[in-house]
Amino acid sequence: MARRAILALGLLAVICGLVCSAPCAAQFPQEPNHCSVPTVAEDDAPHRKVIIESIHFDGPIHLADSDVAQIIAEANKGEWNANRAGWIEELAEIGLRGTWQDQGYFGVKVTAEAQSLGGDSSEERFLVKAHTDEGPQYHLGDLRFANARPGDITAFSESELRNAFPLREGDLFNVGLIRKGIEELTKLYSSQGYIDFTTTPETEVDDQLQRISLVMRLDQQKQFRIRTTDVVGLAPGPEALLKSKLKAGEVFNPKVVDEFYEENKTLLPQGTSPTDLQVRRNARDGTVDLFFNFLPVGVVEGIVLDSSGQPVTDASVYYRVSDDPSIGERHQATSDCNGHFTLKHVLGGNVQIGAFKATDGYVDRRFAFPFYGETNDGEFPELQVRGGETVKGVIIRLGRRGALLELNVFDVDSKTSLDRVTYQLCNGDQPGDGHYCISSGVTGHRAQRIVPSVPITVKIGAPGYDNWNYKNADTGSALVELNPGEVKSLTVYLRRSSK
């Protein structure tokens, strides 16, 4: 089992290019989240291109001379910098080890060192000396497909999945083709609206038969249909054609977008591509809003700071166009572990840049009700964006943090949880004003809600039960006192109504 787990993890690392990551610190309860560890900045030394003249191996190898020549050719097309340490390790891992793994030598180990042959200010030539421990050559054993989530109904038949996968049982265990298979499976699922589909390869090794069986764990997730398709900057004819291919209610297939751009490139503004499409997911109802922008766009770069001036990781950053506030809602960026963000595809004109992070108590002010008061009423800069230009140094300051209120509701007699509850929360700074209240129903006995960090009133109900109003047992106050970033849990017992 350990060998199986180690090889599965190793295969993931090879196929997906996983990098070392670390969790970002958070003081507010949130979904598990990880950010890439910031890399150390390179020196300012000028770039000198690496040119590989030849690769010498210190022992016999099973790789053809043509394969070695291809490794050298691909490496010399790259932009490795002779002044940067580590390029030789990348060559050993990506060029050499990867090529052997495509020939079935999955466990190959490669080390390499570079000997300079001289150069000039723009490039340096090298002789590479390599040692390779090939290990056994493996073929593909069983190939199976299984759902990652119990109970899922697979959208495609076994034969459709196998036809999309380029490897067959008995073929050399080719990591490159497995990577290609994952790409093809992703395209297949995306064609039916499963745009968040992922698959995880798991391996089972038989060293005696030199076979590696493969199980592809399929997580198709939610199917998405089109809710809206908006287009700006396109002539009426092409716009009508585009919208006719992406109608509301239809399954969203990204391939349709690619085909439209390819078939109509002479009608589209120069430089536009399918990557310009902005897709906003509505996970709750399984729909997407599509926004095609054919107008000149700019880029905004900056940093998100919290209410104490510290960088905010994983904040959602958005823009709003002054004369059409809805446009920017369709595109967002996420701040990195240093709070930095790059917001692309920003329509030219006067825009406001804003941010939120609900998991840290900073609500999205675009959709905040009066109930939230000053929660996250921060400093959201307004600026002028021009097409083809980048605005740098933008600082977003998040405002007052909210708190997190957890409600757990039970029957007072049986102590069992209730199937459905309702709650009404009101901002205590505005007593008697219904505009400063929010109400909602929740399936199940447990509810979580970000609330303003001010005193609030809490009213809980359930079908067939008397309403419950919060009252402090010590002071008699009807207000729940909350501080910024606080997590407060209330356990409520409801009594059946006598009516």
Side-chain angles (χ1 to χ4, degrees):
M1 184 62 69
R3 178 166 173 74
R4 172 182 175 180
I6 291 171
L7 282 174
L9 188 58
L11 183 60
L12 269 174
V14 169
I15 292 174
C16 304
L18 298 179
V19 295
C20 197
S21 63
C24 297
Q27 298 176 342
F28 212 78
Q30 58 180 318
E31 296 295 325
N33 218 329
H34 299 269
C35 312
S36 297
V37 176
T39 56
V40 178
E42 304 289 353
D43 9 339
D44 297 326
H47 187 282
R48 296 173 63 242
K49 182 176 174 61
V50 170
I51 301 294
I52 298 173
E53 295 286 351
S54 61
I55 303 176
H56 292 178
F57 297 91
D58 62 1
I61 60 173
H62 287 93
L63 215 60
D65 292 342
S66 58
D67 291 325
V68 177
Q70 183 64 28
I71 293 172
I72 295 174
E74 291 296 327
N76 289 341
K77 288 180 184 177
E79 292 298 326
W80 278 324
N81 187 355
N83 293 327
R84 184 183 65 82
W87 70 263
I88 187 64
E89 285 79 10
E90 292 181 21
L91 172 66
E93 178 65 24
I94 300 172
L96 297 173
R97 186 166 181 262
T99 303
W100 257 277
Q101 288 188 321
D102 288 347
Q103 297 290 332
Y105 297 96
F106 181 71
V108 63
K109 297 178 181 178
V110 180
T111 58
E113 59 181 30
Q115 177 182 328
S116 175
L117 300 177
D120 53 29
S121 60
S122 63
E123 64 181 38
E124 186 170 359
R125 303 186 310 279
F126 292 93
L127 164 65
V128 174
K129 298 179 179 179
H131 171 76
T132 303
D133 181 5
E134 293 179 329
Q137 187 180 42
Y138 292 94
H139 288 73
L140 180 64
D142 294 335
L143 173 61
R144 291 180 285 136
F145 300 90
N147 289 326
R149 303 186 189 198
D152 272 2
I153 299 176
T154 305
F156 299 95
S157 67
E158 179 84 8
S159 61
E160 289 175 307
L161 296 173
R162 286 184 178 272
N163 288 337
F165 208 80
L167 273 180
R168 297 293 179 266
E169 295 168 2
D171 291 348
L172 286 175
F173 191 83
N174 185 319
V175 170
L177 289 182
I178 294 174
R179 186 185 297 112
K180 178 67 174 175
I182 291 176
E183 294 173 358
E184 293 303 318
L185 289 173
T186 301
K187 291 178 183 178
L188 180 64
Y189 273 86
S190 293
S191 70
Q192 293 300 313
Y194 297 98
I195 56 177
D196 291 332
F197 166 82
T198 61
T199 182
T200 303
E202 295 180 356
T203 55
E204 298 175 358
V205 181
D206 187 326
D207 287 323
Q208 185 176 358
L209 296 178
Q210 293 182 203
R211 296 266 175 148
I212 299 180
S213 294
L214 189 62
V215 179
M216 304 301 297
R217 296 286 177 186
L218 310 173
D219 187 359
Q220 63 188 28
Q221 302 190 52
K222 186 181 287 290
Q223 185 184 46
F224 285 89
R225 295 180 177 272
I226 299 170
R227 186 172 72 171
T228 61
T229 300
D230 293 327
V231 183
V232 296
L234 199 58
E239 177 179 336
L241 177 61
L242 176 57
K243 288 185 174 180
S244 71
K245 295 178 177 294
L246 298 165
K247 296 178 182 178
E250 292 183 346
V251 168
F252 174 49
N253 180 1
K255 186 178 180 181
V256 173
V257 177
D258 294 338
E259 291 174 345
F260 172 82
Y261 275 82
E262 179 61 29
E263 295 170 359
N264 299 278
K265 53 187 174 185
T266 59
L267 305 177
L268 305 180
Q270 188 175 3
T272 57
S273 75
T275 59
D276 297 329
L277 169 63
Q278 299 168 29
V279 180
R280 182 178 180 185
R281 291 165 169 80
N282 309 295
R284 179 175 296 180
D285 59 8
T287 62
V288 292
D289 295 317
L290 308 179
F291 178 54
F292 293 85
N293 175 35
F294 295 94
L295 295 174
V297 295
V299 177
V300 177
E301 297 179 359
I303 189 171
V304 182
L305 303 177
D306 65 15
S307 52
S308 62
Q310 297 300 308
V312 180
T313 297
D314 289 335
S316 296
V317 183
Y318 60 87
Y319 77 93
R320 305 182 78 179
V321 179
S322 299
D323 58 356
D324 188 354
S326 67
I327 288 179
E329 296 174 6
R330 300 178 178 87
H331 186 67
Q332 294 180 358
T334 303
S335 61
D336 64 17
C337 278
N338 298 310
H340 295 120
F341 69 87
T342 299
L343 191 60
K344 301 179 181 179
H345 308 289
V346 180
L347 279 172
N350 294 315
V351 302
Q352 182 186 58
I353 309 297
F356 63 95
K357 187 179 181 183
T359 52
D360 273 5
Y362 297 104
V363 299
D364 186 350
R365 291 300 303 181
R366 295 172 297 174
F367 310 108
F369 300 102
F371 165 73
Y372 288 98
E374 297 180 355
T375 304
N376 198 25
D377 191 10
E379 299 177 19
F380 297 161
E382 295 185 3
L383 45 92
Q384 181 75 24
V385 175
R386 294 181 175 84
E389 297 183 3
T390 299
V391 180
K392 298 184 178 182
V394 175
I395 299 176
I396 302 173
R397 299 183 188 275
L398 300 182
R400 183 182 178 90
R401 290 183 70 183
L404 182 67
L405 182 65
E406 296 181 340
L407 303 172
N408 296 279
V409 186
F410 301 89
D411 182 290
V412 68
D413 297 316
S414 66
K415 302 300 187 291
T416 57
S417 58
L418 301 184
D419 293 332
R420 181 171 176 80
V421 300
T422 60
Y423 63 84
Q424 182 185 65
L425 310 176
C426 297
N427 190 315
D429 287 346
Q430 304 290 334
D433 190 337
H435 287 91
Y436 290 85
C437 298
I438 58 170
S439 302
S440 183
V442 179
T443 301
H445 72 287
R446 188 169 183 263
Q448 287 188 325
R449 188 84 193 205
I450 297 175
V451 296
S453 51
V454 298
I456 64 172
T457 61
V458 179
K459 180 180 179 180
I460 306 294
Y465 288 82
D466 292 331
N467 289 332
W468 176 93
N469 294 278
Y470 174 82
K471 186 175 183 179
N472 188 295
D474 297 325
T475 66
S477 172
L479 298 175
V480 179
E481 302 285 344
L482 296 162
N483 298 312
E486 181 180 0
V487 178
K488 193 173 190 69
S489 180
L490 296 178
T491 300
V492 178
Y493 293 95
L494 297 185
R495 189 177 301 279
R496 287 193 175 273
S497 176
S498 57
K499 297 180 182 179

